[in-house]
Amino acid sequence: MSDTDYPEETYAGRVLDADLHLFDRQVLDVDGEPAFAVDDIEISDVPIGLPLDPAAPAPVIESLLSGPVLATRTFGGRPPSSRLERIPWRHVSDIGTALTLGIHSDELDATWTERWVRDRIIGRIPGGRHDPE
Amino acid sequence: MILSDLIHKKVLDAEGTVVGNLVDVRFVIDGAPGQLLASARLHGIIVSRGTASTFLGYERNSANSPFILAKFLEWRHRGSFLVRWRDIAMIDDAVHLRASFQRLSPNLPQNRS
């Protein structure tokens, strides 16, 4: 806990700290199947370099982002915004140790590479279209 | 705006003095009702005076073990504070706070710790 006696804040809803509760969390689809991990978060637009209106509504989370972040985590920076897949916040149904979505992972653009590998490569290997016996 | 562009920025007061580093962003799920969850509204930013990094939020919750690690991180993040979104005047290469900004406890509600 902080060792300074700052006033405690009160909250009207569930509190989430982005780095603590959201970044790198596993995301499960409605069936509990792993879909992707949260690599970043997109919030509604904030004017950069312009005075902020204190009476304006605060930004909200628009999307969870997933994408190729291994190299940028190692060497710094972040992938271009266009390389990140966006999963709208409205699909999130629960937040715990993992985040849960209310839709199937097949409906997400973020999992297209897995589906492509499954259908075009694994599926063409003899025995690749059914569970191991 | 992508959140990682905001995290780790320097935080300056109205006179331009560095008051710390932005180490996390706090959301509260109390916005407009959605299909499944309500909107997650940006409530404020967590500012650490000592370091630009954080580790497992030890300075924000009641976790106190392993004792040595908890004490070290508590010391490293001493003086961390929360600033409400409305107290932010401008964001560019740094986060600029209003002259009237208030330092609040960064502690998480106990039921979330």
Side-chain angles (χ1 to χ4, degrees):
Chain A
M1 306 261 247
S2 171
D3 59 354
T4 311
D5 291 330
Y6 297 130
E8 291 288 338
E9 179 64 305
T10 54
Y11 302 98
R14 186 168 176 184
V15 176
L16 297 171
D17 283 357
D19 196 29
L20 192 59
H21 297 122
L22 297 175
F23 282 179
D24 295 328
R25 292 294 173 111
Q26 180 72 59
V27 179
L28 310 175
D29 75 358
V30 69
D31 296 324
E33 295 293 327
F36 59 92
V38 179
D39 295 320
D40 215 324
I41 291 170
E42 189 169 53
I43 60 174
S44 45
D45 271 343
V46 176
I48 299 298
L50 296 173
L52 297 176
D53 178 3
V60 296
I61 297 179
E62 292 201 328
S63 304
L64 307 177
L65 303 180
S66 182
V69 297
L70 180 61
T72 53
R73 289 247 174 118
T74 306
F75 300 108
R78 68 164 172 80
S81 174
S82 59
R83 298 287 311 279
L84 295 166
E85 299 289 350
R86 286 160 170 75
I87 300 87
W89 176 257
R90 66 176 183 274
H91 293 319
V92 178
S93 64
D94 189 31
I95 299 164
T97 309
L99 277 69
T100 307
L101 301 178
I103 58 173
H104 295 280
S105 61
D106 283 357
E107 300 173 46
L108 299 170
D109 287 342
T111 57
W112 75 268
T113 49
E114 286 187 28
R115 293 199 302 277
W116 189 90
V117 170
R118 180 193 64 194
D119 296 341
R120 302 295 181 94
I121 300 176
I122 305 295
R124 291 179 180 179
I125 299 172
R129 288 190 178 274
H130 59 78
D131 288 339
E133 295 175 2
Chain B
M1 174 184 232
I2 291 181
L3 211 55
S4 60
D5 292 344
L6 189 60
I7 291 176
H8 304 316
K9 280 186 187 288
K10 294 280 184 197
V11 180
L12 313 177
D13 65 13
E15 283 79 42
T17 307
V18 176
V19 296
N21 296 286
L22 196 163
V23 295
D24 211 338
V25 178
R26 179 158 295 176
F27 293 92
V28 179
I29 302 180
D30 65 354
Q35 289 177 339
L36 300 167
L37 284 179
S39 299
R41 177 182 57 82
L42 200 163
H43 184 83
I45 58 172
I46 309 290
V47 182
S48 175
R49 291 195 310 195
T51 171
S53 63
T54 183
F55 185 76
L56 298 178
Y58 267 85
E59 78 283 9
R60 279 170 265 166
N61 60 40
S62 56
N64 57 9
S65 61
F67 180 78
I68 293 174
L69 182 62
K71 283 295 169 193
F72 171 72
L73 292 167
E74 186 180 313
W75 167 80
R76 188 165 165 76
H77 288 280
R78 64 195 181 283
S80 295
F81 56 92
L82 168 76
V83 178
R84 293 186 186 119
W85 174 255
R86 63 173 180 258
D87 285 342
I88 298 176
M90 189 171 69
I91 298 171
D92 48 24
D93 291 337
V95 177
H96 302 264
L97 304 179
R98 299 185 195 283
S100 58
F101 88 90
Q102 186 180 13
R103 296 170 199 247
L104 298 166
S105 168
N107 293 345
L108 288 159
Q110 286 303 305
N111 61 352
R112 288 287 304 140
S113 59

